Amino acid sequence: MPVLKALKVGLVIERANRKNLVALVAVAIIVFGFMFYINAQALGNQLVEKKGDYYSAQAILSKFQVKDASETGDGSELYKNLTKQKSNIALQIATLTLDKQTMYYETSLKLAELREEAFELEGYENVAELLPSKLQNSMDYLYFKRMNDEGKDTISDLFQYMPFLLFFFIHVGAGWYIFISFHTSSILLDDFEHSSIIQGFPIRFDHYILSKCIITFLSIVTSILLIFICAIPLWILNGLGNPLEPVAIYLGNATLISTIQYIAMSVGYMILISIFVMLLSIILNVLLKNMYLTLFVHFILFFLPMIFPSLISLIPYNPFNFMNFNDILRGLPVDLAKPVDITMNSGLIIMSISIILMLFVIKTFFSTGKIKRA
């Protein structure tokens, strides 16, 4: 079959391509780098995080004149509410210090309820930037209510296998697009350095592109598998962790899913993003015939919505709004100056349509004749 012939030629060339090995080494370094980062920054240490919240609460109260915060005092309702929040944060610190995890979840739920009440109080907009957003608080409320209802008395250890993978995939979003952009920026151009090998076979350009897509896709899947493999030492040393630990995300409204569901969802989005970037790289390689220009266009399209968030509100269904899928799952566009309600479900549709359109462009305009040097 012509495609198999093209695939064999491609595998011969890729066998000598060091870029694939460099990509795998980079993935391994990033995974182990996350482990060192977690340890160095004491991430997952709720006691450290809550002390930071306590100082923030003090900063908020400093905006008010000292008043009586008792129920019958002369302080405003917002001031009284914020004082109660500070007290609950202090209680959170105490329960964590005494390792009373059940009480910590109860106190955290009460804090989320107080913040929910604060949203409706006069003057809240003056301190809003120092407090979690309404959406973030809704997600916190759902999480702590679940943990409280189930009577949980333990906390996740980021050095266990499943919690580490969850942490990794929660933060991998933007970096994945950049990684795939570098990995595919010369997807066609590399082989033109071996034009004598390619031109020795009567391969149609569409068959050649298909073979390149298959080979590149396999290398991307291998990179994703390597993430799971590199984290196995944590499983051996510290255990699996709870794959059913709830994670709060935004899918049109705040909702809870399990850790394993979040990881599976992330892998699915990463694969779809990889296909999108790979096809775009093919088109840019053919049009621009330069790896650096291809990367430049990738980065311009990717970073524009991040540099100018108003573009997300102006063009909500731009596929590049969904490339950093972690931000969408956290509902960040909902908290923009001009909120826009976009979710990864709509992102799946937009990216799928974009992939189909790019396939049509490649098939219609770039798939005629034999392979020639770009």
Side-chain angles (χ1 to χ4, degrees), residues 60-79:
I60 295 173
L61 288 174
S62 68
K63 292 178 175 289
F64 295 82
Q65 293 181 352
V66 178
K67 294 187 178 183
D68 184 357
S70 64
E71 292 295 334
T72 58
D74 61 351
S76 68
E77 291 301 313
L78 179 61
Y79 180 77

Side-chain angles (χ1 to χ4, degrees), residues 186-347:
S186 57
I187 184 170
L188 300 186
L189 302 178
D190 280 347
D191 290 351
F192 294 129
E193 297 176 4
H194 309 274
S195 57
S196 60
I197 297 177
I198 299 172
Q199 292 173 0
F201 293 87
I203 304 170
R204 281 176 43 182
F205 196 58
D206 54 348
H207 294 157
Y208 163 69
I209 289 180
L210 179 58
S211 70
K212 286 296 298 183
C213 288
I214 294 173
I215 293 169
T216 303
F217 181 77
L218 290 175
S219 69
I220 290 170
V221 171
T222 302
S223 298
I224 295 175
L225 289 175
L226 187 60
I227 296 171
F228 292 89
I229 294 171
C230 288
I232 287 177
L234 296 180
W235 189 347
I236 297 172
L237 295 174
N238 302 314
L240 176 64
N242 183 10
L244 301 180
E245 179 85 11
V247 183
I249 63 171
Y250 180 74
L251 292 174
N253 48 53
T255 187
L256 292 178
I257 61 174
S258 68
T259 292
I260 193 68
Q261 285 177 312
Y262 190 98
I263 292 172
M265 185 182 295
S266 298
V267 170
Y269 288 147
M270 288 163 66
I271 289 175
L272 195 64
I273 289 170
S274 300
I275 295 172
F276 177 94
V277 176
M278 179 173 61
L279 295 177
L280 182 57
S281 290
I282 288 174
I283 294 173
L284 293 175
N285 274 187
V286 173
L287 293 177
L288 303 176
K289 301 178 176 62
N290 184 286
M291 180 187 75
Y292 300 105
L293 287 176
T294 297
L295 277 174
F296 179 75
V297 174
H298 270 305
F299 291 164
I300 286 294
L301 293 173
F302 176 67
F303 284 110
L304 270 179
M306 299 175 68
I307 298 172
F308 304 105
S310 59
L311 290 177
I312 299 177
S313 303
L314 184 63
I315 314 173
Y317 296 113
N318 171 10
F320 291 92
N321 293 343
F322 302 92
M323 295 297 113
N324 188 353
F325 60 89
N326 295 134
D327 283 353
I328 305 299
L329 289 175
R330 287 198 296 266
L332 292 190
V334 178
D335 293 326
L336 293 174
K338 292 183 178 179
V340 55
D341 189 8
I342 58 176
T343 68
M344 276 311 302
N345 289 334
S346 56

Side-chain angles (χ1 to χ4, degrees), residues 3 33 43 57-58 83 100 104 122 133 144 150 168 173 195 198 214 237 263 286 326 336 345 373:
V3 175
L43 297 180
Q58 284 185 318
T83 302
K100 300 292 185 180
Y104 169 74
E122 183 180 355
S133 67
F144 289 120
E150 294 181 357
F168 183 90
S195 57
I198 299 172
I214 294 173
L237 295 174
I263 292 172
V286 173
N326 295 134
L336 293 174
N345 289 334
R373 181 182 291 272

